[in-house]
Amino acid sequence: MGYFGDVRRYGQDTVTEAYAIRCCIYLPLAVICLVLMVVLNIYHFSPSFNVRRLYIPALDKSLNSSTNASIIFDLSFTNTEKLSNVYYDPVDITFYDCPNQNYSIANFTIPEFTVKAVELNAFSGAVNATGLDFKAAKREIADNGFKVFHVSVETSVRYDYYGFWKTKRYGYRRGEDVKIGDTGAANLGREMFVWFRVALVGLVVMFLSTDLYF
């Protein structure tokens, strides 16, 4: 009986030791996983803003007219978050006739909207420019080959946690200089670069998640 009792005790000690080893391995991994999940949910990548197209007919030399004071635009807002949606309050769009933003020539407001994770929302429209000296702008284009305008956006954004609850509002302000030539247009397609960034963020998150569960 003593021999078999020793064997049983030895077996129990072995099981206990193996269990302790597993705890020592998996517990730190679980803590690391939890910390990373919290960090991924607390820290958010700021959404990007891009001017995809800007056209001012009055500066198009082929039209030979300065009566059309409209600004035709195509803007995009991209969410590079893998797990969170981005909720925009109404977005104020302001157009300036120079990069230093001394004088605004038009403004426009986009109603509140949501950009889902790893998606893009595009907005197109037209506004009338007021106070822009088209003759001076054409002279500048003739001298330099282009005139620089500036487009700025200002709003507040919120993020969600897996769709259950939302963060507080964060101020969001971005701007972009746009060069307009004698065609009156500036085509600024950046979708490939933006989606490359989105794909890169997604791959990093996937890589981290895969490593944690080995």
Side-chain angles (χ1 to χ4, degrees):
M1 290 294 295
Y3 173 76
F4 288 108
D6 291 340
V7 170
R8 283 196 297 270
R9 284 196 299 273
Y10 176 76
Q12 292 173 354
D13 292 341
T14 304
V15 171
T16 302
E17 184 178 351
Y19 179 77
I21 292 174
R22 285 198 298 270
C23 287
C24 291
I25 294 174
Y26 292 121
L27 184 59
L29 288 177
V31 172
I32 293 173
C33 176
L34 179 62
V35 169
L36 283 177
M37 291 299 293
V38 170
V39 169
L40 287 174
N41 279 279
I42 292 177
Y43 177 77
H44 296 282
F45 294 95
S46 181
S48 65
F49 161 74
N50 294 108
V51 180
R52 303 200 301 181
R53 182 173 180 265
L54 194 69
Y55 177 57
I56 304 177
L59 300 181
D60 189 344
K61 69 176 184 180
S62 66
L63 299 180
N64 194 26
S65 173
S66 297
T67 58
N68 188 346
S70 61
I71 299 176
I72 301 169
F73 59 87
D74 186 2
L75 313 175
S76 67
F77 298 84
T78 304
N79 180 9
T80 56
E81 287 282 336
K82 178 80 172 174
L83 304 174
S84 300
N85 301 322
V86 180
Y87 301 85
Y88 287 78
D89 286 346
V91 181
D92 294 325
I93 313 291
T94 307
F95 300 86
Y96 297 90
D97 67 346
C98 55
N100 57 21
Q101 307 174 46
N102 286 335
Y103 184 73
S104 64
I105 56 175
N107 56 72
F108 179 79
T109 299
I110 300 174
E112 61 183 25
F113 60 93
T114 302
V115 183
K116 294 183 179 180
V118 200
E119 288 190 7
L120 175 150
N121 277 25
F123 297 90
S124 300
V127 291
N128 287 325
T130 57
L132 176 60
D133 189 340
F134 291 106
K135 291 183 179 180
K138 286 184 176 181
R139 285 197 300 269
E140 186 174 341
I141 292 174
D143 293 339
N144 302 325
F146 60 86
K147 176 175 174 55
V148 181
F149 292 83
H150 185 84
V151 184
S152 71
V153 299
E154 187 169 2
T155 185
S156 296
V157 297
R158 290 179 295 167
Y159 305 86
D160 65 16
Y161 294 111
Y162 301 102
F164 291 108
W165 66 88
K166 299 175 184 176
T167 66
K168 66 177 183 179
R169 284 179 167 83
Y170 296 92
Y172 181 82
R173 186 173 184 177
R174 294 292 184 275
E176 187 170 330
D177 292 339
V178 181
K179 294 181 178 180
I180 299 292
D182 58 11
T183 62
N187 291 297
L188 303 169
R190 292 182 176 84
E191 289 84 356
M192 292 300 295
F193 173 73
V194 170
W195 286 112
F196 173 77
R197 267 177 35 185
V198 172
L200 182 61
V201 171
L203 287 174
V204 170
V205 173
M206 185 182 301
F207 175 76
L208 291 175
S209 301
T210 303
D211 280 352
L212 289 174
Y213 293 105
F214 278 142

